[in-house]
């Protein structure tokens, strides 16, 4: 399960992806529009900035904006910044591997074998889903919802 920090971070990135090429967005506006506590959001955006996913500008007309196109930022990149490795157990992590102390033989450990498949499935989806893909999915869902409402009227 992703943390509230990650959920807020993803909401912020999706919001900023919608505003891409419209200039920097003030933290206060983003926090208000997405119903995210401002102080919490500040820390999240700073981590995303430090990773290069976001950029910021100070002063009048300042705020945060995506550091790259929404087509170049994956959900996997963002989640790793906020959560760390995608792996459910350390012995299958590609970025933070650690041997499990209770495991006698990694090659025959049933837990490791299954969790490796889980990590690979999660990574395949998240590393191949960009912010632009998410915006496309939202648009499709909104159109489908509108069609259902129009049909019922």
């Amino acid at each position: 399960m992703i943390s509230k920090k990650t959920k807020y971070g993803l909401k912020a990135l999706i919001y900023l992806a919608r505003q891409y090429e419209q200039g920097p967005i003030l933290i206060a506006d983003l926090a208000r529009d997405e119903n995210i506590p401002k102080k919490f959001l500040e820390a999240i955006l700073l981590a995303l900035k430090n990773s290069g996913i976001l950029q910021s500008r100070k002063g009048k007309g300042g705020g945060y904006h995506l550091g790259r196109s929404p087509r170049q930022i994956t959900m996997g990149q963002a989640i790793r910044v906020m959560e760390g490795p995608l792996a459910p157990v350390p012995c299958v992590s590609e970025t933070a591997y650690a041997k499990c102390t209770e495991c006698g033989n990694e090659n025959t450990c049933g837990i490791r074998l299954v969790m490796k498949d889980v990590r690979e499935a999660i990574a395949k989806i998240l590393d191949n889903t960009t912010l632009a893909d998410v915006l496309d999915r939202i648009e499709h869902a909104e159109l489908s919802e509108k069609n259902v409402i129009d049909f019922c009227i």
Side-chain angles (χ1 to χ4, degrees):
M1 196 175 316
I2 63 172
S3 65
K4 191 161 275 209
K5 171 186 174 183
T6 298
K7 190 171 187 180
Y8 286 159
L10 293 174
K11 284 179 66 165
L13 288 172
I14 292 165
Y15 181 91
L16 292 170
R18 281 188 171 133
Q19 312 299 323
Y20 187 65
E21 295 183 344
Q22 294 183 20
I25 304 295
L26 294 173
I27 292 176
D29 293 343
L30 201 163
R32 180 195 64 237
D33 293 350
E34 290 300 316
N35 198 27
I36 301 171
K38 188 175 176 244
K39 283 290 185 193
F40 199 17
L41 182 59
E42 288 172 355
I44 294 166
L45 296 181
L46 184 60
L48 290 166
K49 179 187 171 207
N50 290 340
S51 75
I53 291 175
L54 295 181
Q55 292 180 352
S56 67
R57 188 169 32 187
K58 291 183 180 182
K60 186 173 169 71
Y64 280 91
H65 58 96
L66 296 180
R68 305 186 298 277
S69 157
R71 291 232 173 268
Q72 297 175 311
I73 300 170
T74 69
M75 297 289 279
Q77 291 167 338
I79 289 172
R80 283 183 185 94
V81 168
M82 295 175 283
E83 289 285 333
L86 299 176
V89 292
C91 63
V92 298
S93 176
E94 291 188 358
T95 58
Y97 169 84
K99 184 172 175 32
C100 296
T101 55
E102 64 280 357
C103 187
N105 183 346
E106 281 187 351
N107 296 326
T108 60
C109 175
I111 295 168
R112 182 178 189 277
L113 294 170
V114 172
M115 290 301 134
K116 187 169 194 250
D117 290 344
V118 169
R119 192 211 66 78
E120 288 173 4
I122 291 171
K124 182 178 179 183
I125 294 167
L126 295 177
D127 290 338
N128 289 295
T129 303
T130 67
L131 292 177
D133 295 330
V134 174
L135 294 181
D136 291 344
R137 291 178 77 168
I138 291 168
E139 183 179 347
H140 179 75
E142 288 171 346
L143 284 173
S144 294
E145 186 175 79
K146 181 186 180 310
N147 289 339
V148 168
I149 291 168
D150 288 346
F151 180 76
C152 293
I153 293 176

